[in-house]
Amino acid sequence: MAVGDKESLLSLVYDQAIAARIPAPPTAESTTSAVDYLSRYFDPFLDLFIENEDLARAYFRALTRSGTENAALGALRTLAESNLTTAMVNAGTREAHARLGAQVMFSSYLGELMLLAAGTTDPRQTASRIRDTAAFITTQGRN
């Protein structure tokens, strides 16, 4: 009852399930490239949404209705952007560019998940576009 309505409960459960799947950023000594980490970072989230498309659609409806009060999504964004920034900095990207790149990656991820939930794309296309975005961001960070 403390959570609120059914949509709030759904958001809370999905956000917790997503947070539990977040991979730690690679260290500077890691053999994982920044492109691989950035593009693969979202794979567990995509898997979660693919497991039950109806719940994924309901989740996005709940997100769009909750407005700025969705603290769980804000926390997820903060954590994701922090991890992505760390991975890019550890790979040699300037910190200012890494922060902007992480913001772009998270926004791209949300957009791609919405398209996936809407049924206008498939998981392979989503993963491919996320990888293309990661490659673009890391290439720009070296310039």
Side-chain angles (χ1 to χ4, degrees):
M1 296 300 279
V3 172
D5 60 14
K6 285 189 266 184
E7 285 185 346
S8 297
L9 179 60
L10 174 64
S11 291
L12 179 66
V13 169
Y14 248 81
D15 291 340
Q16 288 176 347
I18 289 169
R21 296 176 182 216
I22 293 176
T27 63
E29 297 81 28
S30 175
T31 59
T32 302
S33 73
V35 173
D36 285 341
Y37 179 76
L38 267 62
S39 61
R40 306 287 321 218
Y41 183 86
F42 298 108
D43 285 353
F45 312 130
L46 293 174
D47 293 343
L48 182 64
F49 285 97
I50 293 166
E51 288 170 14
N52 193 321
E53 292 179 20
D54 290 336
L55 280 179
R57 288 185 186 100
Y59 175 72
F60 278 107
R61 280 194 302 272
L63 284 181
T64 59
R65 290 184 187 143
S66 66
T68 58
E69 295 137 15
N70 192 328
L73 181 61
L76 178 64
R77 176 184 180 179
T78 299
L79 181 60
E81 288 180 3
S82 175
N83 286 341
L84 296 170
T85 298
T86 299
M88 286 186 275
V89 167
N90 287 346
T93 302
R94 292 174 288 122
E95 188 168 343
H97 182 84
R99 279 194 310 272
L100 290 173
Q103 292 171 8
V104 171
M105 282 302 305
F106 188 78
S107 296
S108 174
Y109 154 70
L110 284 182
E112 290 299 332
L113 282 184
M114 286 186 175
L115 292 171
L116 184 61
T120 60
T121 189
D122 67 53
R124 284 183 306 223
Q125 291 172 324
T126 298
S128 176
R129 282 194 292 267
I130 288 173
R131 182 165 184 82
D132 290 346
T133 302
F136 176 78
I137 288 168
T138 56
T139 300
Q140 296 304 306
R142 289 177 178 45
N143 296 332

